[in-house]
């Protein structure tokens, strides 16, 4: 891919450029935005590689050497004209005319309606610059940027890329800052500090120091431990300018008498460059791919997940099946539309359009969305409040058409998380699409801040896959976090990791997709995994998912769902037993479907709790002078609940957050009106009692388990995974309507087979969203 590299002169933008080359891309142009020059028109300046060395841009009267920009680094911009000669790549520059009009983390031009120019947002100054470059380099398809942790910068670049039909490449995203500096030193990147703005970074000591050398890194790591300084300057602690590096045909030199320190007050200082020169080496020009001969590309695997994969491939074990004894009969029936409200949450399930025998998929999606919009309007809300969606297709061949219609409607920042699978003929004849959504009702503007948080990464990186549709990797509302379906794509290339044919390939897909979900959970500060659903296409995928999940939690003796998600913990070592095959794990449901996106064989989707919300709940119940986190989680909140054994015909009954049916043991836990948890239930094993051998009796058992008002909580909605080989959707819906046509929303997903986390086959799988009725302590007693 031909790529335009956005450069500020800083270390990160240049290092990202190198990683683009390492991933097979070619840099065709450099793009830079700089402070405006007084009395000069706003137009693009083109600087081509020449033999001239005197290209330093001196400051004219009124020409600022630095702008207080949220988006762009400008200090040291006078050295940028040297870059075309240094790299042999043309540079295009444009003045920054706008300001930080929109200061939200997420940015969406089409919604905000913000224009460029003096009264517009500075983000929009990128647009005329890039359009000018694209006119001269029409083969360019990507944009390189150096964001490591800045959601503010990343979302703005992604917004511009989306409008111009470009791919955003952010190969430093979410990488460890210590590793980045170490790798910069290894490849010989000379990045000089030109601005400081943090405690411990004295301007006279730090200005013009090479940030990548060992001594500087060690000092920064010390400041990180003492003051929390980001070693790569991601908190705005410092800024750099690159003066030499791989691929350079010379170096930029600035003598001590050619720079001065400008004191900005409050510990802030920056370098004003008075003069500089470019010193060519006279060496033979190298091809771009030769620049990165020694560049280290990070491993696809985190060490822990690499060990999980090794463990799976060392030992093969067959699946354990129990044949369902429920026989269902009856004809097809479209699952009835279900709309239920519980508190601030609306569950809208099983939306379909009028059957279209001509398979006009776009019209089918539009009809569904029209119906959805009418329902939302009746509650005084709109599509922007949807938290998560489940999109069922008859065939993945419809995906592109469905996605096009779907994406035209979700245009706000941080669209809902999404699971999209094909269930084949599990959908009734004439129905090709079925949609279910969860909605959070509008709140006051003061409440809105911090309520909804989304992670919507559209850039390619080494971290996790960019979204391949109009969805967010995760959305959190009041702590409840829905993680979108994660498939095993290689993040840097967005290609499926393998063909998924052999057992080893299936295992690799299962572990990689699980690693993606784990990385997303950590990025959004999920503290507890409440439960997961693994979608697979065959029994081999089930076996791989089951064993990967067990390996992830192997030997864990702490709180179920919490291992590794608190970050560094002193008690973590003591809470693991490496010799034990068992571990306290959150519940997992495994279901097989017809197809998954991109012909993958495993997809993971999870539910978790955000740490900031959990801490908020903690403060409501703790004694400030006598608080033990583990005791709080274990004794007060019942987080220790994990996978349970058979209870009166239920294969396993699993619950998190508030406790659950705990093998006959009584536990007391407080419930929150804005909290809750999930139950995952499996019905029934072959040793089920006679009371659950018919569909009517089975529904009675489910109703009893999910309608638990007397326990202080209620089921807001349930998702029922019905194997089409076991029976028909119509049987279940008829029985449910007869016995429980009340407050619980029912979402139906027709699948081929259902298993629990141990690989035991069930006749039915149910995921229950539980919500507390009120604060207080209630008793839960197992049967």
């Amino acid at each position: 891919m031909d790529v335009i590299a956005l450069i500020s002169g800083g270390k990160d933008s240049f290092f990202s450029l190198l990683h683009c080359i390492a991933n097979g891309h070619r840099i065709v142009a450099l793009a830079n935005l700089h402070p405006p020059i007084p009395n000069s028109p706003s137009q693009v300046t083109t600087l081509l590689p020449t033999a001239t060395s005197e290209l330093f841009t001196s400051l004219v009267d009124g020409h600022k050497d630095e702008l207080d920009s949220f988006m762009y680094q400008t200090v040291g911009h006078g050295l940028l004209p040297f870059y075309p000669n240094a790299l042999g790549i043309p540079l295009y520059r444009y003045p920054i005319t706008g300001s930080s009009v929109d200061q939200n983390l997420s940015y969406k031009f089409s919604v905000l309606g913000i224009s460029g120019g003096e009264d517009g947002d500075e983000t929009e100054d990128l647009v005329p610059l890039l359009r000018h470059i694209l006119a001269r380099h029409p083969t360019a398809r990507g944009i390189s940027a150096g964001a490591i942790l800045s959601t503010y910068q990343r979302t703005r670049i992604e917004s511009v890329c989306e409008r111009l039909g470009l791919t955003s490449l952010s190969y430093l995203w979410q990488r460890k800052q210590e590793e980045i500096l170490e790798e910069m030193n290894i490849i010989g990147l000379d990045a000089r500090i030109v601005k400081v703005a943090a405690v411990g970074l004295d301007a006279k000591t730090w200005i013009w120091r090479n940030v990548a050398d060992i001594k500087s890194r060690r000092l920064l790591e010390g400041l990180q431990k003492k003051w929390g300084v980001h070693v790569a300057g991601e908190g705005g602690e410092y800024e750099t300018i690159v003066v030499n590096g791989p691929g350079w045909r010379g170096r930029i030199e600035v003598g001590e008498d050619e720079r001065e320190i400008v004191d900005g007050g409050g510990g802030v200082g920056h370098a004003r460059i008075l003069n500089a020169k470019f010193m060519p080496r006279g060496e033979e020009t190298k091809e771009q791919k030769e620049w990165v001969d020694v560049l280290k590309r990070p491993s696809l695997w985190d060490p822990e997940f690499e060990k999980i994969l090794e463990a799976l491939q060392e030992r093969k074990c067959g699946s354990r099946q129990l044949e369902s004894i429920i026989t269902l009969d009856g004809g097809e029936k479209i699952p009835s539309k279900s709309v239920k409200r519980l508190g601030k949450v609306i569950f809208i399930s099983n939306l379909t359009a009028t059957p279209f025998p001509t398979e006009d998929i776009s019209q089918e999606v539009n009809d569904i969305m029209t119906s959805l919009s009418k329902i939302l309007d009746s509650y005084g809300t709109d599509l922007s409040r949807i938290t998560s969606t489940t999109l069922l297709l008859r065939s993945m061949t419809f995906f592109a058409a469905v996605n096009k219609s779907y994406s035209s409607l979700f245009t706000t920042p941080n669209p809902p998380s999404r699971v999209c699978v094909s269930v084949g003929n599990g959908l009734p004849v004439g129905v090709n699409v079925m949609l279910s959504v969860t909605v959070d009702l509008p709140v006051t503007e003061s409440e809105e801040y911090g309520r909804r948080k989304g992670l919507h990464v559209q850039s390619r990186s080494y971290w996790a896959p960019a979204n391949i549709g109009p969805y967010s990797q995760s959305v959190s509302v009041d702590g409840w976090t829905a993680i979108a379906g994660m498939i095993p794509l290689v993040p840097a290339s967005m290609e499926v990791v393998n063909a998924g044919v052999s057992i080893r390939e299936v295992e690799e897909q299962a572990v990689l997709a699980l690693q993606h979900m784990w990385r997303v959970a950590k990025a959004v500060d999920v503290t507890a995994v409440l439960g997961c659903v693994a979608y697979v296409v065959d029994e081999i995928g089930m076996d791989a998912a089951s064993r990967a999940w067990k390996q992830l939690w192997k030997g864990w003796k702490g709180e179920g769902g919490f291992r590794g998600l608190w970050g560094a913990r002193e008690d973590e070592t003591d809470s693991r037993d490496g010799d034990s095959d068992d571990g306290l794990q959150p519940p997992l449901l495994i279901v097989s479907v017809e197809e998954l996106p991109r012909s993958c064989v495993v997809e993971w989707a999870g539910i978790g709790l955000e740490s900031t919300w959990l801490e908020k709940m903690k403060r409501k119940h703790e004694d400030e002078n006598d608080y033990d986190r583990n005791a709080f989680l274990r004794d007060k909140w019942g987080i220790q609940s994990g996978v349970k054994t058979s209870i009166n015909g239920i294969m396993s009954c699993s619950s998190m957050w508030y406790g659950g049916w705990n093998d006959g043991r009584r536990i007391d836990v407080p419930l929150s009106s804005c909290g809750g948890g999930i139950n995952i239930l499996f019905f029934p094993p072959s040793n089920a009692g006679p009371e659950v051998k018919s569909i009517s009796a089975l529904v009675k058992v489910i109703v009893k388990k999910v309608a638990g008002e007397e326990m202080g909580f209620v089921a807001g909605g349930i998702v029922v995974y019905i194997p089409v080989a076991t029976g028909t959707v119509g049987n279940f819906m008829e029985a449910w309507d007869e016995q429980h046509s009340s407050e619980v929303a029912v979402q139906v997903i027709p699948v081929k087979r259902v298993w629990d986390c141990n690989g035991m086959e069930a006749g039915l799988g149910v995921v229950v969203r539980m919500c507390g009725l009120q604060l207080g302590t209630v008793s839960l007693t197992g049967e």
Side-chain angles (χ1 to χ4, degrees):
M1 181 191 302
D2 284 354
V3 173
I4 301 167
L6 301 180
I7 60 167
S8 62
K11 60 178 176 40
D12 299 333
S13 60
F14 187 77
F15 199 51
S16 183
L17 174 157
L18 294 177
H19 276 282
C20 284
I21 297 171
N23 281 280
H25 306 304
R26 183 172 71 103
I27 308 301
V28 297
L30 307 176
N32 170 254
L33 288 116
H34 61 83
I37 300 175
N39 302 318
S40 296
S42 296
Q43 61 185 20
V44 176
T45 301
T46 301
L47 296 172
L48 301 175
T50 68
T52 304
S53 60
E54 297 300 329
L55 291 173
F56 175 71
T57 302
S58 300
L59 299 177
V60 299
D61 291 340
H63 189 188
K64 295 183 179 180
D65 55 341
E66 195 219 3
L67 290 180
D68 187 16
S69 169
F70 283 24
M71 181 67 182
Y72 309 111
Q73 173 188 319
T74 57
V75 62
H77 67 86
L79 298 181
L80 268 293
F82 288 124
Y83 277 46
N85 281 351
L87 298 171
I89 302 173
L91 169 68
Y92 301 87
R93 308 188 78 194
Y94 188 77
I96 302 169
T97 61
S99 59
S100 304
V101 175
D102 173 30
Q103 298 182 9
N104 294 307
L105 285 181
S106 298
Y107 183 88
K108 194 75 174 183
F109 174 81
S110 61
V111 173
L112 297 171
I114 293 174
S115 61
E118 293 183 4
D119 297 326
D121 193 277
E122 61 186 353
T123 300
E124 298 308 310
D125 289 321
L126 264 176
V127 177
L129 173 60
L130 292 177
R131 282 179 174 159
H132 179 94
I133 298 173
L134 288 170
R136 285 149 183 80
H137 301 274
T139 61
R141 295 291 182 268
I143 295 293
S144 168
I148 301 176
L149 295 177
S150 177
T151 299
Y152 185 95
Q153 292 178 340
R154 176 183 55 75
T155 58
R156 280 153 176 77
I157 292 170
E158 290 173 348
S159 172
V160 173
C161 285
E162 184 178 10
R163 282 177 273 154
L164 298 181
L166 299 170
T167 299
S168 175
L169 306 173
S170 293
Y171 287 111
L172 306 188
W173 180 249
Q174 291 292 326
R175 292 207 55 204
K176 293 182 179 179
Q177 297 178 56
E178 299 87 346
E179 291 181 358
I180 289 176
L181 290 184
E182 181 180 1
E183 292 166 13
M184 288 178 178
N185 184 55
I186 291 172
I187 66 171
L189 187 68
D190 191 345
R192 301 302 175 104
I193 292 178
V194 289
K195 181 179 179 180
V196 293
V199 73
L201 295 178
D202 175 69
K204 292 182 179 180
T205 303
W206 284 89
I207 293 288
W208 214 246
R209 182 194 289 268
N210 181 3
V211 72
D213 68 35
I214 295 176
K215 185 176 180 181
S216 296
R217 291 192 346 251
R218 295 293 179 263
L219 290 171
L220 287 168
E221 288 170 3
L223 292 174
Q224 179 188 42
K225 294 177 181 178
K226 186 175 183 180
W227 303 109
V229 170
H230 291 78
V231 295
E234 279 301 287
E237 292 88 345
Y238 64 85
E239 293 177 357
T240 62
I241 193 82
V242 176
V243 297
N244 195 8
W248 282 52
R249 301 187 294 186
R251 63 174 291 109
I252 299 172
E253 291 189 354
V254 179
E256 289 189 18
D257 59 345
E258 295 176 318
R259 63 180 188 268
E260 64 182 15
I261 296 175
V262 179
D263 186 357
V268 178
H270 73 270
R272 175 179 288 134
I273 309 298
L274 306 176
N275 196 17
K277 54 184 173 291
F278 179 71
M279 304 298 293
R281 295 193 183 95
E283 299 175 356
E284 183 179 348
T285 301
K286 294 182 178 180
E287 296 290 332
Q288 287 188 10
K289 61 182 179 180
E290 297 179 86
W291 300 2
V292 294
D293 286 343
V294 297
L295 180 65
K296 177 184 177 182
R297 295 175 62 189
S299 170
L300 177 64
W301 301 99
D302 288 341
E304 179 175 19
F305 285 87
E306 190 169 23
K307 291 179 181 177
I308 291 174
L309 180 60
E310 291 172 355
L312 262 62
Q313 296 182 342
E314 286 174 359
R315 179 174 60 90
K316 300 292 183 288
C317 57
S319 62
R320 290 155 291 178
Q321 302 177 42
L322 291 177
E323 182 179 355
S324 173
I325 58 172
I326 290 183
T327 301
L328 307 181
D329 52 17
E332 287 186 334
K333 178 182 179 182
I334 297 176
S336 56
K337 178 177 70 177
S338 176
V339 181
K340 304 295 180 183
R341 173 179 175 175
L342 184 65
K344 295 179 179 179
V345 182
I346 308 173
F347 300 92
I348 305 174
S349 304
N350 314 322
L351 293 182
T352 58
T354 302
F356 288 89
T358 59
E359 296 187 351
D360 186 346
I361 301 301
S362 297
Q363 184 61 46
E364 193 168 348
V365 174
N366 290 338
D367 277 17
I368 291 173
M369 289 302 182
T370 298
S371 176
L372 174 60
S373 296
K374 289 180 180 179
I375 296 171
L376 296 174
D377 187 61
S378 70
Y379 284 95
T381 188
D382 55 39
L383 294 169
S384 67
R385 302 292 178 168
I386 296 176
T387 304
S388 61
T389 69
T390 301
L391 191 61
L392 305 182
L393 307 180
R394 177 174 294 277
S395 170
M396 274 296 163
T397 60
F398 299 147
F399 180 82
V402 170
N403 211 42
K404 183 178 180 180
S405 298
Y406 183 97
S407 61
S408 68
L409 297 166
F410 290 101
T411 57
T412 57
N414 299 326
S417 67
R418 185 176 77 179
V419 170
C420 180
V421 300
S422 165
V423 295
N425 293 329
L427 292 178
V429 174
V431 173
N432 299 303
V433 183
M434 186 160 70
L435 178 70
S436 299
V437 307
T438 302
V439 185
D440 283 88
L441 289 174
V443 292
T444 64
E445 186 174 345
S446 60
E447 287 181 288
E448 180 63 23
Y449 179 75
R451 261 196 101 230
R452 181 185 177 106
K453 300 176 183 178
L455 182 67
H456 185 211
V457 179
Q458 302 174 78
S459 302
R460 289 191 190 180
S461 66
Y462 296 116
W463 167 68
N467 70 66
I468 54 174
Y471 63 89
S472 295
Q473 278 86 350
S474 74
V475 173
S476 302
V477 179
D478 286 338
W480 183 271
T481 301
I483 300 175
M486 293 288 145
I487 59 177
L489 302 179
V490 176
S493 66
M494 290 297 290
E495 297 295 329
V496 181
V497 67
N498 58 46
V501 175
S502 68
I503 293 177
R504 281 184 172 270
E505 288 178 337
V506 172
E507 291 169 341
E508 187 175 31
Q509 286 204 22
V511 178
L512 183 58
L514 182 57
Q515 175 180 280
H516 292 335
M517 189 187 72
W518 195 262
R519 284 182 173 179
V520 169
K522 296 191 77 169
V524 297
D525 205 22
V526 162
T527 299
V529 175
L530 298 181
C532 291
V533 176
Y535 298 87
V536 301
V537 295
D538 54 29
E539 188 175 334
I540 297 175
M542 175 280 296
D543 186 65
S546 172
R547 291 191 292 122
W549 190 248
K550 282 181 169 296
Q551 283 293 326
L552 179 62
W553 300 95
K554 182 179 179 180
W556 176 242
K557 300 301 180 184
E559 308 90 354
F562 277 71
R563 192 188 67 71
L565 293 175
W566 279 102
R569 286 178 37 190
E570 294 180 358
D571 63 335
E572 183 161 338
T573 301
D574 295 334
S575 296
R576 295 206 66 169
D577 181 358
D579 296 329
S580 173
D581 287 333
D582 297 324
L584 193 52
Q585 61 191 33
L588 171 68
L589 174 69
I590 308 173
V591 297
S592 61
V593 294
E594 192 70 26
E595 297 174 278
L596 295 174
R598 302 285 294 274
S599 298
C600 294
V601 296
V602 181
E603 176 178 343
W604 294 85
I607 294 292
L609 288 177
E610 188 188 29
S611 67
T612 53
W613 180 83
L614 183 61
E615 291 297 324
K616 177 182 176 182
M617 293 299 102
K618 175 200 72 176
R619 289 192 294 271
K620 288 185 177 182
H621 298 277
E622 70 174 338
D623 179 352
E624 295 289 348
N625 298 319
D626 184 21
Y627 167 65
D628 176 78
R629 180 182 62 83
N630 291 334
F632 167 79
L633 296 171
R634 181 180 60 251
D635 301 330
K636 289 187 176 182
W637 291 90
I639 297 297
Q640 81 277 15
S641 298
V643 175
K644 304 304 172 188
T645 55
S646 176
I647 304 170
N648 285 358
I650 301 175
M651 180 178 292
S652 62
C653 175
S654 309
S655 59
M656 296 294 294
W657 178 239
Y658 54 82
W661 298 275
N662 210 3
D663 292 342
R665 294 189 295 109
R666 175 190 177 101
I667 54 175
D668 294 326
V669 295
L671 297 171
S672 168
S673 59
C674 57
I678 63 172
N679 268 359
I680 294 183
L681 309 117
F682 305 86
F683 303 89
S686 59
N687 61 351
E691 68 276 15
V692 290
K693 289 185 177 180
S694 69
I695 185 64
S696 297
L698 175 58
V699 171
K700 288 181 180 179
V701 174
I702 297 175
V703 169
K704 184 177 182 181
K705 292 301 182 185
V706 302
E709 290 89 344
E710 73 280 359
M711 297 185 188
F713 60 87
V714 295
I718 69 172
V719 183
V720 185
Y721 297 83
I722 302 178
V724 293
T726 301
T728 66
V729 173
N731 294 131
F732 182 89
M733 295 306 299
E734 289 172 2
W736 182 269
D737 290 342
E738 290 175 0
Q739 300 183 35
H740 195 71
S741 58
S742 59
E743 300 78 12
V744 179
V746 181
Q747 175 187 344
V748 174
I749 300 183
V751 297
K752 293 193 290 186
R753 298 168 72 179
V754 175
W755 299 271
D756 74 355
C757 60
N758 294 312
M760 304 291 282
E761 189 161 10
L764 205 67
V766 182
V767 177
V768 190
R769 168 80 181 263
M770 310 302 295
C771 299
L773 292 175
Q774 59 186 358
L775 292 173
T777 300
V778 298
S779 298
L780 304 181
T781 305
E783 298 179 4

